[in-house]
Amino acid sequence: MRIKVVILSNDRSLRLWLPWARKRLRPDWLNIMIETGGGKAKAKIWYLYQGVIEPSRFAEVQVNGQLYEEKREAA
């Protein structure tokens, strides 16, 4: 599942993942995460959000590569 969200770049809860992880993960675990995720170049652009992301901030949801569109019944 992939969820695209809208978060302002100046939101104080948004952090780059790699500097955060270097301080908190064992080196072996950090390397496993980086390699599993596609390498160091990709890891440099990963973000961590330290807060709650409400569903109203979801811009797009994909399930198994297919765009998910919620079907709502007419009132």
Side-chain angles (χ1 to χ4, degrees):
M1 173 175 270
R2 180 172 191 247
I3 302 172
K4 182 178 180 181
V5 296
V6 176
I7 299 174
L8 297 176
S9 61
N10 64 351
D11 189 318
R12 301 185 98 206
S13 296
L14 188 63
R15 308 236 186 279
L16 279 168
W17 179 83
L18 195 53
W20 177 90
R22 282 185 175 138
K23 293 177 186 175
R24 291 166 179 84
L25 299 179
R26 289 189 341 233
D28 58 330
W29 184 241
L30 177 66
N31 289 333
I32 290 168
M33 296 286 290
I34 291 171
E35 291 308 312
T36 302
K40 195 170 188 176
K42 288 188 179 183
K44 287 181 178 182
I45 61 167
W46 294 345
Y47 285 87
L48 171 70
Y49 190 80
Q50 295 181 302
V52 175
I53 301 173
E54 299 293 334
S56 61
R57 295 171 87 177
F58 292 5
E60 184 177 282
V61 176
Q62 292 182 11
V63 179
N64 294 327
Q66 299 293 317
L67 184 62
Y68 174 80
E69 295 185 41
E70 185 177 2
K71 306 227 183 330
R72 298 177 189 224
E73 294 182 27

